[in-house]
Each structure stands twice: as C-alpha cells, then as structure tokens.
Amino acid sequence: MSDSSSSLSRIRHRITTYILIALLAGAVFGLILNLVGQGEEGTFGREYLADGLFELMRIIFMNLLQMLVVPLVLVSLVCGTASMTDISALGRIGLKAVGFYLCTTMLAISMALGMAYLVQPGIGAEVPEVAEEELFAGEEAPSLLETIGNVFPSNPFAALAEGNMLQVIVFSILLGIAIVLAGEPGRKVLKGFQQLNDVIIQLVWMVMLIAPLGVFAIIAANLAREGFMDIFNLAQYFFLVLGILLFHGFVVYPLILRGIGGLNPLTFLRKMRPVQMFAFGTASSNATIPVNLTNTRERLGVDNKVGSFTIPLGATINMDGTAIMQGVATVWIANVSGVDLSLTQYLIVIVTATLASIGTAGVPGVGLIMLTMVLTAVGLPIENVAILLGIDRLLDMVRTAVNVTGDATASCVIAKSENALDEDVFRADN
Ligand code: ASP
C-alpha cells in the first residue's frame, strides 16, 4: 500500500509535465494524421481513431471530470461557508467577487473592441457562402428578473442533478450558514462534510491520473479532423483574438495581481500552468473547476472559505476570454457585412457581451452561440457566425485558459484583501 501511494505521489508531482507532453504529442500525432489525409471522412484514422478510440477516451475523461464538479463544489463550499466566524464576511466576499468579475470582463471587452476598431478585421475579406444547414439559430437574452429569480433553487436535488452551478452555490451557502446556526448538531454535520471533502480531493487526484490520456485524445482528434487550414483564411481575426487573449492572460492579470494584491505574478503564472493546460485541453471552465480549486487552495494558498466560492462562481459567470472573442467577432461580422458600428452600438456591445459571457456555460463552444445574442442586440446578421466556427475550437481552448486564470486571479486578490491568503504557501516551491 505504501509503495503504491508513494508511486502515486511521484506521478502527482509530475502531472504537469505529463499533461504538457500529452498536449504536444497529441498535437503532433493529430497533425500527422491530418497531413497524410487520415482526418478525412471514411479513412481509418478518422473512423477508428479520431471518431473512434479518441472520441471514447474524450467522453470517458470529460464525464469523469464532470462527475467531480457538483460533489466537490457542494462539499467544499459548505465547509468554506461553515468555517466563517463572521457571516457578514460572506456578503463582502460575494460583492468583491461579483464586482471583480464584472469589472475585468468589461475591461476585457473594451480592450477587444478598441483593438478591433484600430485593426478593423474583416474589411475586404472574402466570405464564403454559409450553407443552409450551418445557419445559426439566434440566442434570446433571458429577462433580468428571470435570471435573478432562477439563481434560487426550488429543488436542491434537481439543481445538483442538473449541475445548475449558480443554484448549487446558493444552496451550499445556505446549508453552510444553517450548519453554523444549528450549534452542536451543525458541528457534527460539518465534521462529516470535512471528512467527505478529504475523500473527494482523493477522487480529484484519481481522475487527474488519466488527464494526460484524455488531453492527448482530445487534441489529436481535433487536429486530425480540422488541421490548421481554416486559420489561414481567417488569419487576421484569429491572430487578433489570440493576441488580445494572451495580453489579457499574461499582462492584465499579472498587473492586477501585483497592483491590487501585491503578489508576485511570476509565481502565480508558474503555479497556474497545469490549470491552464487543463483548461486548454478540455476547453471547459466547468470541467476545470476541480483542478483550479485544488490548485488555488493547495498551491496558491487561498483559504477554502474564499476559493470554494470564487472558483465555481467564476467558472460560471466570469468569462473574460469569451468576451474578448465576442468583441472582436462582432466588429469582424460588422465589417464583412458592410455595417459601420456607431458609438452607441459599441456601448451596447460592451453591455451585452458582458451579459452574454456571464450567461455562457463553461463548456466547449458555447461562447460562439452566445455571440448571436450580442449580434442581435446591435442588429447584425447572425449567419456569418458559422464561418467563425471552423477556427473556433483552437480559440475556445485559449480563451478557456484565460477564463480560468481570471477566476484564480480574483481568488488570490480577494483572499489577500480578506487576510485569507497564506503567503508562505503562495511563495513556496510546492
Ligand atoms: N469554453 C469556454 C469556457 O468553458 C466558454 C466559451 O467561450 O465557449 O470557459
């Protein structure tokens, strides 16, 4: 038993390296398949690998990740809330988190619009005809009242079963408060939750062990099917989005960490590497919650009472990377449709893209569907979204990495302001 647990711990220490190797190996293997024509329909590579074995590996991996999300969020948030000595801190942390998420998303979208205004991507671009079956159905913006009302679960078990993250968050917080108020019986229940928390963390690690295989399969299958061909047709759009994403992830967040949190951004980025790779590989903020939460608590030193709330909330409502893509895509679509956006329309884009990114579920590809909401708000045609679909997968992977980095940045800065950041752990070479 001790032998197997020590070899497990060796693997844990090297998991970042293994995931990185898997990413690169998957990319090389997928590109080779694509280049030798094995990504085409009807070939062995496509039928048995990309759509066969790799697809099976992807489904198993993503399902196992999703399996962790609800139990982990429920248990850690109940423990986090119940450990607060001062319940008013809860409201403060909540306000700080929502404020932080809204401000950074608005900053991200404004920056994206500003850059897109300067570069004007899409002017003079040859836009292929969109086939009838590829047309996008528009997304209706839900009413504000409905959105706020639906944050409160009528049936917590349904919320848990459906993985409705905002409802799960509200239920966990209420349960945590009730545990505190219940006195002695509450303390017994809390002990149970704390023990369950330790068990679930082991479950996270068990799933992490197959992460390299899952990441390899996802990347290899995507590249085998699509290669890099479409990027060349939409290079200006692609590289503009990519450039702003990287700037936001590697310059804006570090500046916030340093400026507001007084924390070393290089240490932060180094420790975020496995989480970013994970988000990149899965293109899902939601599936990255377990890894991000564990990393934020154990390696960045954020107290559970902050991290267990800010990470799942961020994965649900904080999508700066998605907002960046939506800003540039809106200007691109306006240009290819020959529409000149007015200043008022730019302002409408800032507001709707912020709302759209809040409403975007943290799963692959949803950001592009929510883009239709932004386009409708400024009266732009939505059918050209289908053209962007061809290159969206790679951008989705990068923007998801940015999205989760934003969640961890918020967690560190808020924890610091609440005296809930263990700076020794943050600095340690763990
Ligand atoms: N895949 C993104 C995420 O999970 C959402 C999106 O932009 O499509 O964060």
Side-chain angles (χ1 to χ4, degrees), residues 109 111-113 115-116 121 236-238 240-241 244 323-334 349 371 388:
I109 173 85
M111 191 168 66
L113 284 177
M115 286 303 293
Q236 203 186 19
Y237 165 79
F238 180 86
L240 186 55
V241 176
I244 304 172
I324 288 172
M325 175 279 289
Q326 290 173 340
V328 179
T330 306
V331 177
W332 183 84
I333 286 178
V349 174
L371 170 65
L388 299 179

Side-chain angles (χ1 to χ4, degrees), residues 283-285 319 322 360-367 396 399-400 403:
S284 169
S285 302
M319 309 263 169
T322 304
T360 302
V363 290
V366 183
D396 192 10
R399 69 177 179 256
T400 308
N403 290 345

Side-chain angles (χ1 to χ4, degrees), residues 57-66 218 282 284 287 364:
M57 286 161 72
R58 182 191 70 80
I59 294 174
I60 294 176
F61 176 53
M62 292 302 279
N63 282 354
L64 286 175
L65 282 176
Q66 296 291 350
I218 295 174
T282 60
S284 169

Side-chain angles (χ1 to χ4, degrees), residues 79 81 102 164 166 168 202 204 227 249 267 298 300 331 348 372 419:
C79 293
T81 310
L102 279 179
N164 183 325
L166 290 180
V168 171
Q202 290 308 314
V204 173
T267 310
E298 293 183 6
L300 292 170
V331 177
I348 294 175
T372 56
N419 247 334

Side-chain angles (χ1 to χ4, degrees), residues 265-283:
L266 294 178
T267 310
F268 173 82
L269 286 176
R270 181 169 49 80
K271 293 191 173 185
M272 278 304 286
R273 231 178 283 151
V275 181
Q276 289 171 332
M277 280 193 296
F278 217 84
F280 181 82
T282 60

Side-chain angles (χ1 to χ4, degrees), residues 17 20 22 26 41 91 93 116 133 135 207 215 224 242 274 330 380 394 409:
T17 319
L20 182 63
E41 302 264 2
I93 294 173
E133 64 278 8
L135 286 181
V207 175
V215 167
L242 189 65
T330 306
L380 284 170
L394 196 51
T409 305

